[in-house]
Amino acid sequence: MKSYYFLFALFISTIFYSQNHITPLEKSNYEKFTNYSELVNFIGVIDNSSDLVEAKIIGQSVEKLNLHCLFFSKDKFGEDESKLKVMFFAQQHGNEQSGKESALKLILELLKPENIYLFEKIDLALIPQVNPDGSEKNQRRNANNADLNRNHLILTEPETIALHNLFNEYLFDVTLDVHEYYPFGEEWETFGYRRNFDEQYGSNTNINVSQEIRNMSNNSFVPFIKNYLNERNFSFNIYSPGGPPEKDYIRYSTFDINDGRQSFGIQNTFSFILEGINGIDYSVSKIQRRSEGQMQGMLGLLKYLYNNNLQIIELVKNERLKLLNPKEDEKIAIQLDHFNNGSKLELHLLSLKTNTDTTFYVNNFKPEVRSIYDVVKPQGYLIHKDSVELVAWLNRHKITHKIYEIMNDDLIEEYSIQDIDSIDFEGDIIVNPIVDGGFISRKIIPENYYFIPTNQLLGNLIVNALEPKSMLGLVTYKKYEHLLKRKNTFPILRLIRKTKNNCTNLNHNE
């Protein structure tokens, strides 16, 4: 426990700091975005001015710019089990500048004396800028031309690898991915209306994520944050892509596990995406309100977490235990779709003609995600040690694997790829092989294979990644499409053990 003197000194220093510092954006009178060198200098001042914050470099971008993380804690970060471990990260997309600017605003807000109480129950890791290369060019992608928010499954880029390494180090209970949404476009202009919400929040939508976590997110947090933002004069909507209404259907956001929300959510994390409204042509227009709205969106989540910290800690702990101890014959959805459940969406849009808000009731609304193809979770998978790309993928994710030790009751299932068809999903053509499955009668040499158990934190991700018919799997990426060959066996084998006691629970950090 910190001494009274330290806490008094912390209180005094935060008063001094919050009264005497402004962000680079504010210094420019909201006329230009914060560049990389300004961000680094700002973080350096923070690190030297407050005992509440410690800044560390967690990785580098493609062009060797440092990725900075600020760790907020009144004690040693991550060691107090009564505190929620929380990770916020912004600007995966380099042209979505307000996420970075709002994160820098949040730093000053958290150092105000009236907000220090939050860290009695929360340890926060804040990464203001994941994509510094893209930010400097004001472009969406990183310097390898990769969309970082589509890279969290294959994990090839240094920026996303750094994020996941940080997550693996602390196993955060809560994550927030901060973005902007683009409300403009030709279809909406033709329709005569557009979205005009200051902030949109999206929770986990993949149905392999704990139902209890999804229930608390949607039934408890969403009403709270809507009210919190409305009280501060910022409008709110549940993140709902699609439209315009009745010309196209509207749904809640993606269930794919390749982004910053779902890739952590699939590990039964209380995980969200925050989408602030973008300026026209990704410019500095209205950046003051945009950055203040997103800052309030982040601060509101922290206040909700403070009020519900023990419940969330217990919830995440219990739901992760289910990943470490999966039920026998547990089914995992590997092909999913959006469905209408009879409900209508109340949608508040801005009329481009009258510049007034208009309410639409959307009939073609598909809020429900259902499985259209699932598999029974095996005890694990086997891959040959010579499968260099697959082994490298396991190592990037820190997925537990070991040399296969055969047991007498092991059944090894092998898929045969009969043909390679496809699914048209929302305009994307996704590979959908026709497979036969059967148990292997031939002998395999155990020491030539790695065993990947599914009773680990990444167990549901592993199933979705390694099944050949998974619409969210590795085979849907060009880098791994060679795994599917017509009239050939699939090189990833399924291992089924009749006696569950033969398996030892493994955490992916072991």
Side-chain angles (χ1 to χ4, degrees):
M1 181 177 291
K2 293 188 181 294
S3 67
Y4 172 81
Y5 173 79
F6 177 85
L7 292 175
F8 178 75
L10 177 62
F11 180 79
I12 295 299
S13 69
T14 52
I15 292 176
F16 174 81
Y17 184 81
S18 60
Q19 289 178 346
N20 290 276
H21 291 83
I22 59 175
T23 67
L25 177 65
E26 293 167 322
K27 192 174 182 179
S28 77
N29 198 29
Y30 296 94
E31 292 181 357
K32 75 178 191 68
F33 297 129
T34 302
N35 64 33
Y36 176 74
S37 62
E38 291 169 336
L39 180 142
V40 172
N41 290 336
F42 179 75
I43 290 174
V45 170
I46 291 167
D47 195 24
N48 292 325
S49 301
S50 174
D51 292 324
L52 187 67
V53 186
E54 182 179 8
K56 293 182 181 179
I57 295 168
I58 61 168
Q60 288 189 321
S61 68
V62 173
E63 295 183 341
K64 305 303 180 185
L65 298 182
N66 292 329
L67 307 182
H68 297 269
C69 181
L70 295 96
F71 294 85
F72 290 78
S73 181
K74 284 188 174 181
D75 302 289
K76 192 166 179 60
F77 189 92
E79 291 193 354
D80 187 342
E81 293 185 359
S82 70
K83 291 185 179 181
L84 273 170
K85 296 191 291 289
V86 180
M87 181 173 75
F88 287 2
F89 52 101
Q91 208 183 20
Q92 286 199 77
H93 293 144
N95 59 352
E96 296 177 3
Q97 301 277 358
S98 73
K100 168 190 64 184
E101 305 296 356
S102 61
L104 300 183
K105 276 182 172 289
L106 180 65
I107 293 166
L108 295 183
E109 192 69 26
L110 293 175
L111 292 174
K112 290 180 178 179
E114 62 264 33
N115 290 323
I116 296 175
Y117 77 94
L118 292 168
F119 302 107
E120 295 167 2
K121 298 182 180 180
I122 294 170
D123 279 352
L124 170 67
L126 173 62
I127 303 100
Q129 183 180 68
V130 178
N131 184 5
D133 298 345
S135 179
E136 291 295 276
K137 301 176 182 68
N138 202 33
Q139 68 180 28
R140 179 181 176 92
R141 295 170 177 255
N142 75 348
N144 281 339
N145 197 34
D147 186 333
L148 297 181
N149 206 38
R150 303 293 182 270
N151 191 252
H152 289 258
L153 177 62
I154 58 174
L155 215 59
T156 59
E157 300 306 303
E159 298 92 344
T160 47
I161 290 171
L163 268 183
H164 282 261
N165 285 344
L166 179 63
F167 182 89
N168 291 337
E169 182 177 356
Y170 293 103
L171 297 180
F172 292 93
D173 305 292
V174 183
T175 65
L176 175 66
D177 184 10
V178 183
H179 285 266
E180 297 177 54
Y181 77 96
Y182 194 68
F184 312 100
E186 187 176 333
E187 281 191 339
W188 284 93
E189 288 180 8
T190 302
F191 181 61
Y193 299 85
R194 68 165 173 83
R195 294 179 174 89
N196 196 41
F197 322 111
D198 289 308
E199 308 301 325
Q200 296 191 87
Y201 251 102
S203 60
N204 290 310
T205 52
N206 189 293
I207 60 175
N208 297 303
V209 177
S210 153
Q211 181 68 61
E212 288 75 11
I213 287 177
R214 288 184 283 131
N215 286 345
M216 186 171 185
S217 300
N218 296 322
N219 300 333
S220 177
F221 171 68
V222 167
F224 171 89
I225 196 65
K226 178 181 180 180
N227 184 63
Y228 178 90
L229 288 167
N230 289 168
E231 286 179 346
R232 287 153 182 82
N233 199 33
F234 293 102
S235 56
F236 171 83
N237 188 60
I238 298 176
Y239 185 33
S240 306
E246 311 314 331
K247 295 180 180 294
D248 189 8
Y249 74 83
I250 294 178
R251 57 172 173 78
Y252 294 142
S253 64
T254 178
F255 49 70
D256 207 336
I257 56 174
N258 64 356
D259 67 9
R261 170 188 37 153
Q262 306 284 8
S263 65
F264 297 123
I266 198 71
Q267 302 175 61
N268 282 347
T269 303
F270 205 60
S271 187
F272 299 93
I273 187 171
L274 171 60
E275 295 267 354
I277 192 167
N278 196 280
I280 297 175
D281 298 326
Y282 296 95
S283 70
V284 77
S285 65
K286 299 184 180 179
I287 188 61
Q288 180 173 359
R289 180 169 177 84
R290 287 159 54 198
S291 59
E292 288 175 353
Q294 283 192 298
M295 184 274 286
Q296 288 294 343
M298 289 188 276
L299 184 60
L301 174 56
L302 289 173
K303 292 186 176 183
Y304 175 85
L305 298 177
Y306 178 89
N307 293 334
N308 297 275
N309 82 309
L310 292 180
Q311 182 181 355
I312 297 170
I313 288 172
E314 194 67 16
L315 176 63
V316 170
K317 179 182 177 181
N318 289 339
E319 296 311 300
R320 286 178 173 174
L321 282 174
K322 294 177 183 178
L323 292 173
L324 303 180
N325 300 276
K327 294 179 180 178
E328 191 170 0
D329 297 329
E330 180 179 330
K331 290 185 176 180
I332 303 297
I334 62 172
Q335 293 182 6
L336 308 94
D337 206 347
H338 304 278
F339 291 87
N340 186 309
N341 61 5
S343 63
K344 293 183 179 181
L345 174 67
E346 183 178 310
L347 193 64
H348 303 282
L349 301 177
L350 180 72
S351 169
L352 300 179
K353 183 177 181 180
T354 64
N355 200 38
T356 57
D357 286 335
T358 303
T359 299
F360 283 80
Y361 292 92
V362 181
N363 293 307
N364 196 2
F365 176 45
K366 299 182 179 182
E368 189 172 329
V369 176
R370 301 176 196 162
S371 174
I372 57 175
Y373 190 94
D374 48 44
V375 295
V376 173
K377 180 188 284 190
Q379 294 292 323
Y381 292 88
L382 300 178
I383 63 169
H384 200 279
K385 290 170 63 178
D386 292 339
S387 303
V388 176
E389 289 180 343
L390 287 174
V391 173
W393 176 78
L394 294 173
N395 290 332
R396 290 196 299 273
H397 269 289
K398 304 292 192 296
I399 291 173
T400 296
H401 58 284
K402 59 183 181 180
I403 299 296
Y404 173 46
E405 297 176 5
I406 196 166
M407 296 184 181
N408 291 333
D409 60 353
D410 284 358
L411 296 174
I412 299 173
E413 188 176 11
E414 183 176 55
Y415 288 121
S416 175
I417 309 300
Q418 300 300 307
D419 202 356
I420 300 176
D421 204 345
S422 61
I423 302 172
D424 184 347
F425 179 72
E426 297 182 341
D428 290 333
I429 304 302
I430 300 173
V431 66
N432 181 31
I434 299 170
V435 303
D436 286 336
F439 293 113
I440 287 181
S441 56
R442 60 183 171 84
K443 296 283 187 181
I444 69 167
I445 303 171
E447 57 267 29
N448 287 344
Y449 284 83
Y450 284 123
F451 170 55
I452 308 160
T454 54
N455 57 339
Q456 53 181 305
L457 197 58
L458 284 164
N460 289 351
L461 178 141
I462 291 167
V463 176
N464 268 279
L466 299 185
E467 286 287 332
K469 285 184 71 67
S470 173
M471 68 189 303
L472 313 177
L474 292 180
V475 296
T476 64
Y477 295 83
K478 190 171 183 63
K479 184 179 178 68
Y480 299 98
E481 64 183 7
H482 66 276
L483 297 173
L484 288 178
K485 295 180 181 177
R486 285 183 176 85
K487 306 301 180 184
N488 267 277
T489 56
F490 190 59
I492 301 170
L493 308 176
R494 287 167 52 93
L495 178 67
I496 299 171
R497 285 179 173 162
K498 295 179 182 177
T499 306
K500 291 191 72 175
N501 292 334
N502 287 337
C503 286
T504 303
N505 287 333
L506 294 167
N507 184 286
H508 73 322
N509 277 336
E510 291 179 350

